[in-house]
Amino acid sequence: MAPHDLRRPFKRAAISDQQRRRELSLQRQAQHRRDAQHQARCLASFLNPHSDPEPEPEPETTSETEPEPSDSPKELDIRHASKLKGAEARKWFARQLMLPEWMIDVPDQLPKDWYVFARPAGKRCFVVSSNGTTVSRLRNGSMLHHFPSALPSGARTKDSSGSAQSYSILDCIFHESDQTYYVIDMVCWREYSLYDCTAEFRFFWLSSKLAETGACDPPSQYHRYRFSPVPVYNCDQAGLSAAYTGAVPYVKDGLLFYNKHAHYQTGNTPLALVWKDENCSQYVIDTDSKGQVPSQQQVVLELQDNGNLSTSDDPPVVFGCLDRAFIEQTESRSGNLLRFAIGDGGLNFVDGKLEKADLHYLGKPNRARAFADSYSKVMFQYMARHSPLRIDDLLASINSLSDQENKPSDVEMVG
Amino acid sequence: MAMEVTQVLLNAQAVDGTVRKQAEENLKQFQEQNLPSFLFSLAGELSNDDKPVESRKLAGLILKNALDAKEQHRKLELVQRWLSLDPSVKTQIKACLLKTLSSPALDARSTASQVVAKVAGIELPHKQWPELIGSLLSNIHQLPANTRQATLETLGYICEEVSPDAVEQDHVNKILTAVVQGMNSSESNNDVRLAATRALYNALGFAQANFSNDMERDYIMRVVCEATLSPELRIRQAAFECLVAISSTYYEKLAPYIHDIFNITAKAVKEDEEPVALQAIEFWSSICDEEIDILEEYGGDFTGDSDVPCFYFVKQALPVLVPMLLETLLKQDEDQDQDEGAWNIAMAGGTCLGLVARTVGDDVVPLVMPFIEENITKPDWRQREAATYAFGSILEGPSPDKLIPLVNIALNFMLTALMNDPNNHVKDTTAWTLGRMFEFLHGSALETPIITQANIQQIINVLLQSMKDVPNVAEKACGALYFLAQGYEDAGSSSSPLTPFFQEIVQALLTVTHREDAGESRLRTAAYETLNEVVRCSTDETASMVLQLIPVIMMELHQTLEAQKLSSDEREKQNELQGLLCGCLQVIIQKLGSSEQSRYVFMQYADQMMALFLRVFASRSATAHEEAMLAIGALAYATGADFVKYMPEFYRYLEMGLQNFEDYQVCAITVGVVGDICRALEDKILPYCDGIMTQLLKDLSSNQLHRSVKPPIFSCFGDIALAIGENFEKYLIYAMPMLQSAAELSAHISGADDDMLEYTNSLRNGILEAYSGIFQGFKGSSKTQLLMPFAPHVLQFLDSLYMEKDMDDAVSKTAIGVLGDLADTLGSNAGPLIQQSVSSKDFLSECLSSDDHLIRESAEWAKLAISRAISF
């Protein structure tokens, strides 16, 4: 039995660089495996939104168009989406935003079921942070910015907390003058999908998570734009007043109303509403491309196979019909968007339903337009020009409710 | 039936190659024709005192090699072969072996001892040869010292060979009694006493019960301590080896003896010859190891639990231990820094001082500083070097608060010494000490930086200058630069203080790699390693310079591949260099590939790089293969789906890597690269999956492949399934049964040690990652029902993992994720099954409230998926 070797490493690092390379590779692979898993999992929530309970029907919504939940992007998942380029990416992202209807009627139960907040003026966009970078896409799907941010996986930093490829999606408005993204909703956070969560939960999550990341910090090398939450109020008298008159660091563009129980639903929804007047928005009445308010209200409608002109709602609301000769003359095809002015004949209603519209063809809209106008938008604009819904109407609706609450409530029979 | 083998055995050792070859051929023939007779003939030869000692010795060696092999599967074959041999032949062979122990020829006895131990190693665990120990012990009291010496040696070898549970306690007691008696000073024969002392070293592992008995332990310790005072150097050395072994095996029993042991070791360090003094120092190093482990456990676990309490032996001995060690530092050898294999008392003492500093922290500093101050400016290089080494040694352990003021004073002095000291040895240690300063006291975690705008320029100038010094000094300078760069690793912003020097540093390192003498003192390796670290820690500012490095390194790699007609020595060096260059490219790929902007620019080199990597596979060097494979994995990740264009050519090397059982590291890395490629190619990997899956399944079934590769192979199943989705269908019938049986094996492991538990958890993690990938891969396809039959088993596996309570956090996270994946993919079909499982209730709620955010995240996911599955 020979004496045992007792030499110890002398003036040497404990592990070789090769071993280090090996370990770093293994870490990288494990990380990527986790990311792939996360993405596969997250895809679930994109694929199966139908498995959730239907959003609670809005009681007595007078909206003529009870839009069905719009089609969710079944065939495309986020993993593909993140690789899509150009037109395809635009097409996909264009369908992802939840689009509020315009408030043409005051919903019941404002104080109980709704939030209100002042909408920042600016470009509505989706902000996706993943894989070490952040991309914002406008409502029509086109890219606004491509930048590093402090959002999770929003920049290539050495910070290895959390997975590098995890992604988050925020619903934002980019406010030009202070170069800030105001976050109005949270759709996906660290690959945890919030599509199926109520607005109540989403706002809670948004307020608790966003600040943690440092995304609300002033811009720095790895964080080009500041993010900021917006103050959200319960839509009672005080809340509505605060949203309407309260000071905010951004220019207001109307008020947004979100139903607390509604899930994030892509496309138009009556469970989120936008309302404006001159006090809280510069753009109550649509302007034309030169920034002038045209003398006549303009609408963009989509041409259907049968020549009908319809809104972007689902199901569409028909505003009129074109004859074949006119279609051929303007070289229009089914699916094209066309711009019209509403003539002095205005809109005519019978029993609350649109009967006839006095449309005058103007031409084709700007190519950036992805959608026809929604029914509620046309209506809101129409009302704004004729008999607007005023803040007092909203406050009155709330007051009448609080009066009711003081009375013994009736038992609702369900049979 | 014995054959005449003497002449053949002698011929087999002939100087004449043809004679030797012939003899070896003959031996092989004998063995193949009649194994029992062959083995018996060898045993006969070994035991025959009339035969020449050379043939006896070789006979014993061949016999030994017929019983044992290094390679695990070969070893098993040999064991089976011996066990199935005719019992009467075995009895005869064993009789010959035992008889040889009494031979006057030392070599014959010694060889026989080893063979007896090998046979015992096979037979005792099978409850065979029960009379062995008894008959050996009866030898102990025989008169000839020869026999006693050989018998004790044999007992020692047996203890080394056999695990303690194969020997009954009664025999253990008798063996220990015989061994300790043999060590006793009353034994007059030194050979016997030495054999006994060495035997005790191996028998210590058997002595658990005896060390728990105060009287027996006292006796053993007394005899061991006495043996350290023997006039015979080899006995003293062996006795100290026993003390070293006792210090780690029976640390918690040492308190009553530690004072005496300190005196014994101090005397040995001061006065005894080097081999003994080295063991005496090693005793304290080993005590430090133990206490560092215990204290780490204290610190790591806030309950303060450790199986073994800390007795703070080092802290208590500190006032005498430190001066003793400092004195050794002055006993350097002239050229120890040029000699890779050197190990002397100064090196051992310095190493021990470093361990002491890690054990006691701040307390060591005031004891060492006076020595440093007194010696650091002395004209004798030994004093300057010893002082510098002492300083370098204590830089890990004490708090930054204590060290930083000292380092701030020392830094300038060291920089000057590195430039101006006339002695290479001093410069070597100085550069090393600077490296230690940067390693432990420089980085974003420290509040007060020792490197500032004011001195960084000077530091870098000195290090770059020093890289032109003799190889051993230049190597240490590279090492210091390595840690200097590492300290800026997480500077956070895109601006690194190294940026202004980046170009200059890279240039200097490349120059070092081209030095004629870069092969000495592993200088070239150190230069590339430092280059890698500088690249790893670089920022976007210097991305363009990193990019420029690619063609340079590629050209170097190209040149190594073009070199013709090399000697085997040159080829080995060439392969080593290829490994380093591939490693460097890997680091660059990973760096540039991680940022969108730089990725696009560097992808222009992808084709050329890939072509070079593929050529590296033509070499036979495992290290070069490994490095090329790692680099390709990084490239695949950076390239993404476009990597598919390399697949036709790369595939065969991939397959080759997966078949490389011998260099299991290559195999493991290749498995990882398969995962990279799956994620890069997604379903474009499909055409290659048959081949890959076949190979992976073969790997799993092989008992030759190192076990550590198996967990990653399971994970790789998951990668493949996730990439190819429902196309994984055709592999289910192979993969699922393998996963199931591995899951069953890994679910329950009672009484496993820490290593086994760690391995089992990595295996569980691999299995779960496979399930996760498979479920997610099939999601949304029309074939999810194919997975339904496996659901009960998967859920059962999760439940049993939960009940066992011995999984680590990584497994918890993966396991709860699998629950979600199963629910997500199988939906309402699996609802009732899921609701029956414990996992969906207790396990899930535990995970939901876990402290680990990754576990919570997975649990949230599982909760969501389950709520969907059961809400239908």
Side-chain angles (χ1 to χ4, degrees):
Chain A
M1 280 167 275
H4 299 83
D5 190 7
L6 42 66
R7 271 179 301 179
R8 286 169 179 258
F10 183 74
K11 293 187 183 174
R12 283 269 182 283
I15 65 161
S16 71
D17 194 72
Q18 194 198 11
Q19 185 58 26
R20 183 130 187 262
R21 277 199 295 285
R22 228 181 250 144
E23 284 167 10
L24 287 172
S25 276
L26 286 175
Q27 276 173 22
R28 177 181 60 77
Q29 286 165 348
Q31 180 69 56
H32 294 161
R33 176 176 296 128
R34 270 203 299 280
D35 295 344
Q37 227 174 44
H38 282 320
Q39 292 198 351
R41 284 176 184 169
C42 200
L43 170 57
S45 8
F46 283 86
L47 288 172
N48 303 321
H50 357 276
S51 60
D52 306 302
E54 289 288 302
E56 291 164 42
E58 179 66 3
E60 312 209 2
T61 307
T62 52
S63 163
E64 306 299 305
T65 56
E66 285 273 354
E68 297 292 307
S70 65
D71 265 1
S72 50
K74 286 172 195 118
E75 69 284 12
L76 280 171
D77 58 71
I78 187 70
R79 197 159 36 141
H80 285 118
S82 65
K83 289 177 189 161
L84 291 177
K85 301 243 150 56
E88 279 191 300
R90 286 200 295 280
K91 212 169 133 196
W92 193 83
F93 278 98
R95 285 184 287 159
Q96 295 306 305
L97 281 170
M98 175 159 83
L99 304 173
E101 290 193 356
W102 290 69
M103 189 186 283
I104 46 182
D105 209 330
V106 185
D108 275 355
Q109 305 290 346
L110 266 184
K112 184 160 149 267
D113 290 334
W114 294 77
Y115 289 122
V116 64
F117 58 93
R119 183 195 188 280
K123 295 170 178 143
R124 176 87 184 280
C125 52
F126 245 160
V127 176
V128 181
S129 70
S130 86
N131 208 4
T133 187
T134 308
V135 172
S136 53
R137 286 186 179 275
L138 297 173
R139 207 189 124 165
N140 65 8
S142 66
M143 199 192 288
L144 174 62
H145 296 133
H146 184 174
F147 60 103
S149 76
L151 294 174
S153 309
R156 277 284 159 203
T157 55
K158 284 224 164 189
D159 170 27
S160 56
S161 65
S163 65
Q165 290 190 342
S166 87
Y167 68 92
S168 304
I169 304 177
L170 302 176
D171 184 341
C172 298
I173 291 169
F174 183 68
H175 188 252
E176 197 73 43
S177 62
D178 64 355
Q179 295 282 298
T180 298
Y181 280 94
Y182 286 94
V183 186
I184 60 168
D185 208 336
M186 183 176 263
V187 179
C188 200
W189 187 253
R190 291 191 197 274
E191 74 267 337
Y192 181 71
S193 168
L194 294 152
Y195 274 88
D196 308 319
C197 302
T198 61
E200 195 166 15
F201 180 79
R202 295 200 307 276
F203 288 166
F204 157 71
W205 207 245
L206 167 64
S207 64
S208 56
K209 294 291 169 188
L210 187 65
E212 279 176 15
T213 58
C216 303
D217 295 346
S220 57
Q221 186 68 37
Y222 282 127
H223 182 55
R224 193 165 303 151
Y225 297 103
R226 202 166 68 90
F227 285 76
S228 173
V230 294
V232 176
Y233 304 95
N234 275 319
C235 194
D236 49 24
Q237 183 134 24
L240 181 59
S241 306
Y244 184 64
T245 56
V248 278
Y250 50 83
V251 177
K252 289 182 194 174
D253 182 16
L255 300 180
L256 282 167
F257 297 78
Y258 273 58
N259 185 290
K260 292 180 186 174
H261 313 292
H263 292 200
Y264 194 97
Q265 184 182 316
T266 59
N268 293 325
T269 172
L271 298 178
L273 299 168
V274 58
W275 174 89
K276 298 173 177 185
D277 72 4
E278 275 76 15
N279 289 328
C280 67
S281 172
Q282 298 173 282
Y283 320 100
V284 180
I285 297 182
D286 276 355
T287 53
D288 61 15
S289 55
K290 295 179 198 100
Q292 305 292 319
V293 173
S295 58
Q296 292 187 316
Q297 181 183 352
Q298 298 186 358
V299 294
V300 173
L301 296 168
E302 184 177 338
L303 179 62
Q304 304 290 327
D305 286 338
N306 53 11
N308 279 351
L309 294 167
S310 61
T311 62
S312 63
D313 303 275
D314 186 17
V317 177
V318 177
F319 267 68
C321 190
L322 291 184
D323 61 33
R324 186 161 298 278
F326 189 83
I327 294 171
E328 279 168 13
Q329 183 198 329
T330 54
E331 292 180 5
S332 305
R333 258 169 298 168
S334 166
N336 277 173
L337 301 180
L338 304 173
R339 201 152 51 86
F340 297 88
I342 297 178
D344 296 336
L347 304 175
N348 293 304
F349 297 87
V350 172
D351 290 341
K353 290 205 169 179
L354 180 72
E355 172 81 4
K356 202 181 93 195
D358 179 18
L359 297 179
H360 301 271
Y361 180 71
L362 293 175
K364 297 196 173 160
N366 189 316
R367 277 166 54 110
R369 273 300 285 262
F371 301 99
D373 286 335
S374 66
Y375 174 79
S376 66
K377 173 170 182 189
V378 177
M379 284 305 296
F380 188 91
Q381 287 290 322
Y382 189 74
M383 286 162 69
R385 286 167 178 261
H386 299 95
S387 57
L389 189 63
R390 292 173 323 235
I391 189 73
D392 293 343
D393 300 331
L394 297 177
L395 289 166
S397 156
I398 292 170
N399 289 338
S400 73
L401 267 174
S402 55
D403 290 349
Q404 276 172 31
E405 268 164 26
N406 295 334
K407 297 172 193 162
S409 63
D410 291 337
V411 177
E412 193 177 296
M413 298 294 162
V414 273
Chain B
M1 73 180 242
M3 297 181 264
E4 177 49 49
V5 289
T6 311
Q7 195 53 51
V8 191
L9 289 169
L10 292 175
N11 287 350
Q13 303 170 71
V15 186
D16 184 341
T18 48
V19 175
R20 207 168 58 234
K21 218 163 177 165
Q22 178 63 42
E24 280 164 2
E25 200 52 43
N26 287 344
L27 287 170
K28 214 173 133 196
Q29 275 171 17
F30 287 165
Q31 174 159 359
E32 280 162 9
Q33 279 159 10
N34 190 340
L35 180 72
S37 161
F38 176 66
L39 295 180
F40 176 61
S41 308
L42 292 173
E45 183 79 10
L46 177 62
S47 67
N48 191 338
D49 283 331
D50 298 334
K51 298 289 185 177
V53 88
E54 291 79 16
S55 67
R56 295 177 72 183
K57 217 174 133 178
L58 184 59
L61 278 177
I62 297 174
L63 206 47
K64 191 177 117 182
N65 290 337
L67 295 165
D68 196 8
K70 267 199 188 128
E71 227 184 330
Q72 196 56 32
H73 73 283
R74 173 76 184 145
K75 185 182 172 125
L76 283 173
E77 270 174 32
L78 294 176
V79 167
Q80 287 309 316
R81 192 175 77 177
W82 175 261
L83 288 171
S84 58
L85 221 56
D86 179 358
S88 67
V89 179
K90 284 193 282 191
T91 307
Q92 285 175 299
I93 293 175
K94 289 188 281 191
C96 287
L97 293 172
L98 289 181
K99 181 180 159 225
T100 315
L101 297 181
S102 305
S103 164
L106 174 67
D107 280 344
R109 289 201 309 274
S110 180
T111 312
S113 293
Q114 296 174 45
V115 183
V116 169
K118 291 292 175 198
V119 176
I122 296 173
E123 296 200 346
L124 294 189
H126 289 86
K127 305 275 172 232
Q128 296 174 9
W129 212 1
E131 68 281 12
L132 169 66
I133 304 291
S135 65
L136 285 174
L137 291 171
S138 70
N139 281 348
I140 291 293
H141 302 293
Q142 290 195 357
L143 209 51
N146 278 352
T147 312
R148 279 187 286 138
Q149 178 265 339
T151 303
L152 285 164
E153 196 172 314
T154 309
L155 287 170
Y157 282 130
I158 289 173
C159 290
E160 193 177 22
E161 201 67 41
V162 181
S163 90
D165 50 11
V167 184
E168 49 188 283
Q169 186 60 39
D170 177 47
H171 276 158
V172 170
N173 293 340
K174 285 179 175 150
I175 291 171
L176 280 170
T177 308
V179 166
V180 179
Q181 271 173 11
M183 286 176 73
N184 209 325
S185 48
S186 61
E187 172 61 58
S188 54
N189 185 301
N190 273 346
D191 290 335
V192 173
R193 217 177 152 196
L194 178 64
T197 311
R198 288 181 176 168
L200 180 68
Y201 179 90
N202 287 326
L204 282 170
F206 287 65
Q208 291 291 350
N210 313 82
F211 260 81
S212 299
N213 176 319
D214 291 350
M215 221 172 62
E216 293 183 21
R217 186 182 61 242
D218 283 348
Y219 176 57
I220 296 171
M221 291 303 293
R222 180 171 64 76
V223 172
V224 173
C225 289
E226 278 172 14
T228 65
L229 306 171
S230 158
E232 167 67 36
L233 177 132
R234 289 176 307 157
I235 294 175
R236 295 200 304 278
Q237 187 182 354
F240 270 113
E241 275 189 66
C242 289
L243 278 183
V244 172
I246 290 167
S247 73
S248 60
T249 315
Y250 300 108
Y251 169 84
E252 74 276 18
K253 309 275 190 216
L254 278 182
Y257 317 105
I258 199 76
H259 188 74
D260 289 338
I261 296 177
F262 179 79
N263 289 333
I264 293 169
T265 50
K267 188 167 146 51
V269 170
K270 241 187 229 2
E271 299 166 11
D272 213 325
E273 295 182 55
E274 190 159 67
V276 182
L278 286 175
Q279 291 293 345
I281 293 175
E282 179 61 17
F283 173 85
W284 287 101
S285 291
S286 166
I287 292 286
C288 288
D289 287 343
E290 290 304 311
E291 296 195 344
I292 289 170
D293 280 355
I294 296 169
L295 294 171
E296 238 167 45
E297 246 175 84
Y298 277 179
D301 188 2
F302 53 86
T303 59
D305 279 347
S306 165
D307 296 343
V308 182
C310 186
F311 288 92
Y312 300 99
F313 293 141
V314 178
K315 203 178 163 98
Q316 289 168 45
L318 209 55
V320 272
L321 184 59
V322 169
M324 172 185 101
L325 294 172
L326 290 172
E327 209 167 306
T328 65
L329 298 183
L330 294 159
K331 299 182 181 171
Q332 309 94 325
D333 288 335
E334 288 283 350
D335 292 323
Q336 69 182 43
D337 284 322
Q338 281 89 9
D339 179 4
E340 273 297 308
W343 187 248
N344 58 42
I345 191 163
M347 297 163 93
T351 304
C352 187
L353 182 62
L355 291 167
V356 168
R358 286 177 55 199
T359 313
V360 304
D362 287 359
D363 292 349
V364 81
V365 178
L367 294 170
V368 175
M369 286 317 291
F371 177 85
I372 298 172
E373 284 154 8
E374 178 177 337
N375 290 289
I376 195 107
T377 50
K378 284 282 157 62
D380 181 359
W381 72 266
R382 286 175 192 280
Q383 287 173 284
R384 296 197 307 279
E385 197 277 337
T388 313
Y389 195 80
F391 192 57
S393 296
I394 60 166
L395 289 174
E396 186 188 9
S399 63
D401 286 349
K402 191 94 180 168
L403 292 174
I404 283 179
L406 300 172
V407 167
N408 279 332
I409 298 167
L411 186 55
N412 227 358
F413 184 92
M414 296 283 168
L415 292 172
T416 312
L418 185 53
M419 283 296 87
N420 302 333
D421 199 286
N423 182 277
N424 279 341
H425 200 129
V426 174
K427 285 197 281 190
D428 182 295
T429 303
T430 303
W432 170 78
T433 300
L434 284 167
R436 300 260 298 176
M437 288 178 183
F438 302 153
E439 182 176 6
F440 300 111
L441 297 164
H442 157 60
S444 60
L446 292 144
E447 276 170 30
T448 36
I450 56 169
I451 303 175
T452 61
Q453 278 301 323
N455 64 12
I456 186 165
Q457 169 96 53
Q458 187 203 1
I459 293 172
I460 288 173
N461 286 349
V462 169
L463 292 180
L464 296 193
Q465 191 60 36
S466 183
M467 276 157 49
K468 297 174 189 156
D469 211 318
V470 291
N472 61 301
V473 176
E475 186 236 350
K476 302 298 186 300
C478 288
L481 194 54
Y482 184 102
F483 290 113
L484 180 80
Q486 194 171 75
Y488 295 119
E489 180 180 34
D490 41 16
S493 75
S494 69
S495 181
S496 162
L498 280 189
T499 297
F501 311 100
F502 191 87
Q503 191 74 48
E504 198 186 351
I505 290 173
V506 167
Q507 205 46 58
L509 287 167
L510 288 174
T511 309
V512 172
T513 65
H514 292 134
R515 278 173 59 153
E516 291 272 327
D517 55 4
E520 293 169 36
S521 296
R522 66 185 275 297
L523 176 57
R524 183 176 288 115
T525 307
Y528 277 115
E529 288 180 349
T530 303
L531 183 59
N532 291 346
E533 192 65 12
V534 168
V535 169
R536 270 190 210 111
C537 303
S538 66
T539 63
D540 291 348
E541 292 171 312
T542 40
S544 61
M545 288 184 250
V546 175
L547 195 66
Q548 285 163 17
L549 204 48
I550 298 179
V552 177
I553 304 290
M554 282 203 310
M555 180 49 77
E556 306 252 342
L557 184 54
H558 177 78
Q559 277 163 6
T560 68
L561 292 163
E562 291 296 300
Q564 305 274 322
K565 289 184 193 151
L566 299 172
S567 70
S568 66
D569 194 35
E570 286 167 328
R571 193 172 318 113
E572 198 182 310
K573 284 196 180 125
Q574 207 65 269
N575 288 336
E576 197 189 321
L577 182 56
Q578 285 162 1
L580 291 171
L581 292 164
C582 289
C584 187
L585 285 172
Q586 185 217 335
V587 171
I588 297 176
I589 293 169
Q590 230 168 307
K591 184 77 202 177
L592 296 181
S594 67
S595 139
E596 279 299 310
Q597 295 108 326
S598 53
R599 193 169 68 91
Y600 287 118
V601 196
F602 107 92
M603 287 311 294
Q604 61 180 304
Y605 297 111
D607 287 358
Q608 281 171 282
M609 269 193 269
M610 193 63 195
L612 288 171
F613 295 148
L614 292 179
R615 286 180 66 190
V616 172
F617 288 120
S619 82
R620 288 182 205 292
S621 153
T623 314
H625 283 204
E626 201 184 307
E627 295 283 8
M629 204 45 103
L630 280 171
I632 288 173
L635 189 65
Y637 173 67
T639 315
D642 290 344
F643 191 83
V644 73
K645 65 178 170 182
Y646 306 123
M647 282 306 285
E649 229 187 316
F650 173 52
Y651 177 72
R652 69 194 181 102
Y653 300 108
L654 192 72
E655 197 169 73
M656 226 165 72
L658 294 177
Q659 287 164 344
N660 197 341
F661 293 163
E662 238 166 275
D663 307 303
Y664 71 89
Q665 291 274 27
V666 176
C667 187
I669 279 163
T670 312
V671 171
V673 170
V674 171
D676 280 329
I677 294 175
C678 285
R679 286 180 288 273
L681 299 189
E682 300 195 347
D683 56 0
K684 291 199 188 105
I685 199 177
L686 194 56
Y688 303 97
C689 281
D690 280 357
I692 292 171
M693 279 302 291
T694 308
Q695 206 46 59
L696 291 178
L697 290 164
K698 270 191 203 163
D699 287 355
L700 280 178
S701 330
S702 159
N703 52 11
Q704 287 176 57
L705 184 63
H706 195 275
R707 68 175 193 178
S708 67
V709 190
K710 298 193 176 177
I713 291 179
F714 284 125
S715 308
C716 193
F717 283 176
D719 298 338
I720 293 173
L722 203 53
I724 65 173
E726 62 179 24
N727 291 306
F728 197 78
E729 176 187 356
K730 60 176 166 177
Y731 309 123
L732 284 178
I733 54 163
Y734 308 105
M736 281 309 205
M738 283 228 176
L739 283 164
Q740 282 192 6
S741 62
E744 270 155 36
L745 279 176
S746 81
H748 313 284
I749 40 148
S750 46
D753 58 18
D754 287 357
D755 279 353
M756 190 59 197
L757 184 61
E758 198 185 328
Y759 174 71
T760 304
N761 272 324
S762 75
L763 195 62
R764 289 166 172 173
N765 202 52
I767 295 165
L768 291 165
E769 285 184 333
Y771 283 141
S772 183
I774 292 170
F775 279 120
Q776 285 301 338
F778 273 76
K779 180 170 57 187
S781 91
S782 56
K783 293 178 178 167
T784 50
Q785 81 282 357
L786 290 173
L787 298 180
M788 207 46 217
F790 305 109
H793 178 272
V794 173
L795 289 167
Q796 223 169 22
F797 179 47
L798 297 179
D799 284 357
S800 59
L801 286 180
Y802 174 66
M803 318 279 215
E804 286 291 310
K805 302 275 177 221
D806 59 0
M807 59 181 150
D808 57 25
D809 281 358
V811 176
S812 297
K813 182 202 152 275
T814 325
I816 204 67
V818 167
L819 183 65
D821 297 330
L822 185 148
D824 187 25
T825 296
L826 299 180
S828 57
N829 294 334
L833 274 175
I834 292 169
Q835 279 176 300
Q836 284 163 27
S837 71
V838 190
S839 302
S840 69
K841 300 186 185 73
D842 302 1
F843 185 26
L844 180 59
S845 68
E846 258 179 47
C847 289
L848 282 169
S849 55
S850 164
D851 293 334
D852 184 320
H853 88 274
L854 290 174
I855 295 180
R856 259 192 338 267
E857 218 170 59
S858 287
E860 293 279 357
W861 150 250
K863 190 179 148 193
L864 187 80
I866 291 173
S867 72
R868 276 210 205 98
I870 61 182
S871 72
F872 270 98

